[in-house]
Amino acid sequence: MTEAVLKVENLQTHFFTKAGVVKSVDDVSFEVGRGKIMGLVGESGSGKSVSGFSIMGLVDHPGRVVGGRILFHGRDLVGLPDEEMRKIRGRRIAMIFQDPMMTLNPVLRIDTQMIETIQAHEKVDRETARQRSRDALGQVGIPSPDERLMAYPHQFSGGMRQRVVIALALAVNPKLVIADEPTTALDVTIQAQILYQMQKLVAEQHMGLIWVTHDLSVVAGLADELCVMYAGRIVERGPVGRLIDAPIHPYTKGLIGSVPSRNPRGQPLTQIPGMAPTPIDLPAGCPFRPRCARASDICRTTPETAEHLPGRFARCFHPHLEDAA
Amino acid sequence: MSVFILRRLMQSLVLLCVMTIIVFAGVYAIGNPIDILISPDATQAEYDRAVRALGLDLPLWQQYLVFLSKLVQGDLGKSFVFNEPALTLVFSRLPATLELAFAAMLLSIVIGIPLGLWAGLRPDSVAGRSIMAGSIFGFSLPNFWQGLMLIMVFSVFLQWLPAGGRGPTANFLGINSSLFTAEGWQHLLLPALNLALFKMSLVIRLTRAGVRETLLLDYVKFARAKGLSSRRVIFVHVFKNILIPLVTVIGLELGSVIAFAVVTETIFAWPGIGKLIIDSIFVLDRPVIVAYLIVIVLMFITINLIVDILYSVLDPRVRLADMKS
Ligand SMILES: Nc1ncnc2c1ncn2[C@@H]1O[C@H](COP(=O)(O)OP(=O)(O)OP(=O)(O)O)[C@@H](O)[C@H]1O
Ligand code: SF4
Ligand SMILES: [Mg+2]
């Protein structure tokens, strides 16, 4: 990867709750290149959204980034003053949220919500901002954008709303987009349309895209690289094709085995035994140990990220290297 | 929009009819006004004549229709005490009460909303906690005691403000009000404050609860993710949403402030409608009581109508739902 838009190094984001410290993101590192799509996959609660919010500088109280660096074009975003961060948010790094029904303000018209975004970052007059908003709506495939600008969010379907949000995010030409499960709430055909559109926009505008999802089949055809998260850590990272064909971390292997379309007909789906751990009382050592068939005594210590094969990183003492090599 | 208003008007009319039946039943059908009007030692013939003259020998429904037709003509009888048309009497006292009520509502809004915003944005700060503690006082102090204390402190000890009565009035744009004289304001301040404290506490709590709730919503986080300044996020995205419940409650409370200004008017010797009704109840001056009730109900209905319209202006979802139905 030549030109990294974003480089996250050993990021740690913890929530200091009354019940204890929740290590939602714990020592996470990855890179996103220009015009590249990075898939961030993991079960619910594994820390995907918190990773995204950490990059945006929008971690909710009582959470805080406690360690690591977030290098955006080489500049560390951790600890940046509020006003500096505000200028980056929305302008350089945009984020698309999971639920399109909840992301737009119900009492403001679409044009208000788009124009304010453009005007927050650029000194342009209302009319120019409005025209750019209209163009952005057209770009994501919204019919009669002039009329739609005057509408309120509740007058759009879920899929249309998510397009509006995408248009909004892209109207200021960000260099990096974090899409936090943007299609989870939508049905399959609309999901496919939006995926296609995003892919096109990434290629056209040379931006980096982090696509967060818990659905492996969605990112399989979309991403260049995959990061698999488990209990606040990235357990495996690698190029998407090779990672899915031959996962080396036992958790990834379990995850792929449980996707119906990846299994030969007639074979039973495998299931990862046990429950996803709650981040508040993680087992010492490898967090996957209680559910792992390969676990041994050494797994009571924490495995570090290692490059087991060229370009293939994993946190595991006993990776599945047999069919990956 | 006009269909919406028309429908609300029709509803108001029905409500008004129902109300007249209740007033009629309550005041005319229960008890006999003859006993008060005629001297106890009148002959049976005199008694019968009086009954016929007042139409009390007619069946109840006919009496109601007579009452209604007179009502439509604006004739609610003459006050037994003042020997003036009851309606004129009520209207002559109304401006003083309206003035008091509006001043009280204004105070509770201009003080209550900023305090509520502050408490909602900084719930854990000393100021935030103090505001909430203060609002509990505002809720629980008995109105008359609080009024007496205000007089004690500001009139008796500090001698800043007069203890009672209405100041001189001045005419402005055809409205005669003490709001247009400096001395009038001095007289108004204490009673208005006394009447406002409860509503102010209500506004503070509502605003705070609204802010706390809205801040957690996705669209507020998204507004921040767009890089908007926190000023815009709070005063546009958050505030416009909490305005919806605020307008509803404030509107409804305005009615109750007018109707229940009685205690404050009595303590501060304010020559308003509340004082009139108390006096009239003591001497069973029925025409005045009826006129008062009708006027108050009309006012409630009007305020409700305005609130409904405002509500639909503020909340686009209501507007649409109404157009569909
Ligand atoms: N405000 C908070 N206070 C305490 N803990 C939190 C808070 N926000 C998130 N967490 C914790 O951080 C962990 C990671 O949450 P996150 O939202 O990143 O999960 P996710 O991977 O995005 O899951 P999902 O697929 O359900 O969106 C969760 O276990 C959650 O309990
Ligand atoms: S480190 Fe051990 S327990 Fe953890 S995934 Fe690898 S083999 Fe399993
Ligand atoms: Mg999430």
Side-chain angles (χ1 to χ4, degrees):
Chain A
M1 210 170 286
T2 46
E3 211 178 326
V5 178
L6 181 79
K7 207 167 169 179
V8 174
E9 293 177 349
N10 311 102
L11 178 68
Q12 289 181 300
T13 305
H14 297 175
F15 286 88
F16 299 89
T17 65
K18 290 206 175 73
V21 179
V22 181
K23 299 181 174 176
S24 300
V25 174
D26 201 14
D27 198 8
V28 158
S29 307
F30 58 82
E31 272 181 45
V32 186
R34 245 184 117 215
K36 297 282 183 210
I37 301 178
M38 203 277 286
L40 190 56
V41 189
E43 286 167 295
S44 188
S46 55
K48 308 179 298 287
S49 297
V50 173
S51 302
F53 289 133
S54 303
I55 297 167
M56 295 295 285
L58 287 178
V59 179
D60 286 325
H61 186 79
R64 182 149 59 79
V65 173
V66 291
R69 300 201 296 169
I70 299 169
L71 299 172
F72 179 66
H73 288 301
R75 181 181 182 202
D76 192 359
L77 301 183
V78 177
L80 217 56
D82 278 352
E83 180 55 20
E84 291 297 305
M85 198 60 217
R86 185 195 70 74
K87 284 181 190 158
I88 292 172
R89 248 183 245 139
R91 174 84 182 91
R92 308 279 169 210
I93 309 177
M95 187 155 175
I96 298 167
F97 290 17
Q98 175 160 357
D99 188 353
M101 304 312 253
M102 299 295 294
T103 353
L104 294 169
N105 194 323
V107 302
L108 299 176
R109 281 203 318 241
I110 299 301
D111 62 347
T112 313
Q113 303 195 44
M114 293 193 80
I115 290 170
E116 70 178 357
T117 313
I118 296 173
Q119 288 191 324
H121 299 293
E122 293 170 47
K123 283 199 165 49
V124 294
D125 59 85
R126 256 192 96 76
E127 206 31 56
T128 319
R130 161 180 289 276
Q131 268 164 26
R132 283 197 18 212
S133 308
R134 189 195 52 204
D135 296 344
L137 286 186
Q139 212 180 355
V140 294
I142 290 183
S144 50
D146 268 313
E147 264 165 57
R148 301 313 266 162
L149 268 182
M150 304 301 286
Y152 285 93
H154 69 267
Q155 294 165 304
F156 290 80
S157 66
M160 278 297 159
R161 274 197 223 194
Q162 197 61 297
R163 280 169 209 251
V164 171
V165 174
I166 292 169
L168 219 160
L170 301 181
V172 282
N173 299 317
K175 295 288 165 240
L176 177 71
V177 174
I178 303 167
D180 190 358
E181 313 207 34
T183 56
T184 310
L186 308 175
D187 63 53
V188 181
T189 32
I190 295 175
Q191 188 172 328
Q193 288 169 9
I194 287 183
L195 284 178
Y196 167 75
Q197 230 133 27
M198 288 299 285
Q199 217 166 3
K200 205 175 85 184
L201 289 165
V202 166
E204 280 169 10
Q205 304 188 359
H206 305 291
M207 56 187 196
L209 174 64
I210 299 176
W211 191 278
V212 175
T213 182
H214 58 254
D215 187 351
L216 254 177
S217 57
V218 169
V219 275
L222 176 80
D224 300 293
E225 212 197 12
L226 271 192
C227 287
V228 180
M229 258 189 117
Y230 186 80
R233 296 185 180 158
I234 289 179
V235 292
E236 179 162 2
R237 169 157 62 99
V240 69
R242 283 196 282 151
L243 192 147
I244 285 183
D245 283 345
I248 58 177
H249 194 281
Y251 173 66
T252 321
K253 207 167 178 68
L255 206 59
I256 289 167
S258 62
V259 175
S261 61
R262 301 233 143 242
N263 265 40
R265 210 176 258 273
Q267 267 195 17
L269 294 178
T270 52
Q271 210 188 354
I272 307 174
M275 294 266 292
T278 48
I280 202 142
D281 49 7
L282 287 179
C286 175
F288 190 57
R289 185 166 47 88
R291 303 167 77 186
C292 181
R294 297 193 151 208
S296 68
D297 273 348
I298 193 177
C299 304
R300 287 176 198 284
T301 55
T302 306
E304 290 303 321
T305 308
E307 191 167 7
H308 295 282
L309 294 165
R312 307 284 310 267
F313 299 84
R315 274 181 187 269
C316 180
F317 292 113
H318 313 293
H320 291 270
L321 299 176
E322 52 284 356
D323 26 67
Chain B
M1 195 69 192
S2 50
V3 176
F4 167 78
I5 294 173
L6 213 68
R7 250 193 36 220
R8 284 286 190 278
L9 274 176
M10 295 300 286
Q11 286 171 0
S12 304
L13 214 63
V14 173
L15 198 66
L16 199 61
C17 286
V18 173
M19 170 59 203
T20 58
I21 294 176
I22 295 172
V23 169
F24 178 78
V27 182
Y28 275 70
I30 304 169
N32 195 344
I34 285 292
D35 298 335
I36 306 154
L37 287 176
I38 216 159
S39 71
D41 38 51
T43 64
Q44 185 62 35
E46 277 177 320
Y47 186 87
D48 287 345
R49 213 178 315 125
V51 165
R52 223 165 301 126
L54 287 169
L56 294 176
D57 54 337
L58 299 172
L60 206 57
W61 64 270
Q62 275 187 14
Q63 284 192 42
Y64 173 69
L65 287 185
V66 171
F67 163 75
L68 209 58
S69 72
K70 281 190 174 168
L71 177 68
V72 171
Q73 295 159 27
D75 177 12
L76 288 170
K78 278 187 176 176
S79 159
F80 302 155
V81 178
F82 297 92
N83 203 27
E84 260 183 77
L87 211 53
T88 317
L89 202 62
V90 167
F91 277 130
S92 73
R93 297 292 196 90
L94 199 56
T97 296
L98 286 183
E99 182 179 295
L100 186 62
F102 279 116
M105 271 339 259
L106 201 71
L107 274 181
S108 50
I109 291 167
V110 297
I111 300 176
I113 289 182
L115 289 184
L117 273 177
W118 186 277
L121 293 172
R122 306 224 183 300
D124 296 323
S125 67
V126 176
R129 284 168 195 273
S130 315
I131 291 168
M132 287 320 278
S135 79
I136 293 173
F137 272 110
F139 267 134
S140 40
L141 291 183
N143 204 241
F144 68 92
W145 184 83
Q146 177 190 291
L148 292 177
M149 284 302 126
L150 285 176
I151 294 178
M152 284 272 277
V153 175
F154 291 100
S155 307
V156 180
F157 288 131
L158 298 171
Q159 304 206 332
W160 287 352
L161 296 164
R166 192 181 182 207
T169 59
N171 201 300
F172 181 70
L173 295 176
I175 302 167
N176 216 11
S177 169
S178 57
L179 289 175
F180 306 127
T181 66
E183 215 190 316
W185 266 102
Q186 285 182 0
H187 278 88
L188 185 59
L189 209 56
L190 277 191
L193 193 63
N194 189 48
L195 196 54
L197 278 175
F198 185 89
K199 306 296 166 199
M200 202 185 289
S201 309
L202 191 68
V203 170
I204 289 175
R205 297 201 146 243
L206 256 164
T207 311
R208 185 188 113 111
V211 170
R212 304 274 296 139
E213 232 169 72
T214 314
L215 277 181
L216 298 177
L217 296 179
D218 260 8
Y219 63 76
V220 171
K221 200 167 193 180
F222 186 64
R224 292 206 286 148
K226 294 197 299 185
L228 303 185
S229 64
S230 34
R231 242 228 240 102
R232 181 150 180 109
V233 173
I234 289 162
F235 289 106
V236 176
H237 285 258
V238 175
F239 195 65
K240 262 206 113 167
N241 275 280
I242 62 170
L243 220 48
I244 296 170
L246 265 181
V247 164
T248 316
V249 172
I250 287 173
L252 296 180
E253 291 296 323
L254 179 61
S256 78
V257 161
I258 296 170
F260 303 121
V262 180
V263 175
T264 299
E265 290 187 359
T266 310
I267 296 171
F268 290 88
W270 191 262
I273 203 175
K275 209 163 166 304
L276 175 72
I277 188 66
I278 288 287
D279 295 343
S280 303
I281 288 171
F282 274 135
V283 297
L284 282 175
D285 196 345
R286 292 191 175 183
V288 178
I289 299 173
V290 173
Y292 169 83
L293 287 177
I294 300 270
V295 167
I296 289 289
V297 167
L298 261 178
M299 216 135 59
F300 261 91
I301 289 177
T302 316
I303 291 169
N304 268 326
L305 187 67
I306 294 173
V307 168
D308 274 347
I309 293 170
L310 265 182
Y311 192 89
S312 78
V313 168
L314 287 174
D315 194 338
R317 288 160 296 188
V318 174
R319 230 175 299 161
L320 191 84
D322 260 294
M323 280 174 196
K324 274 186 188 151
S325 60

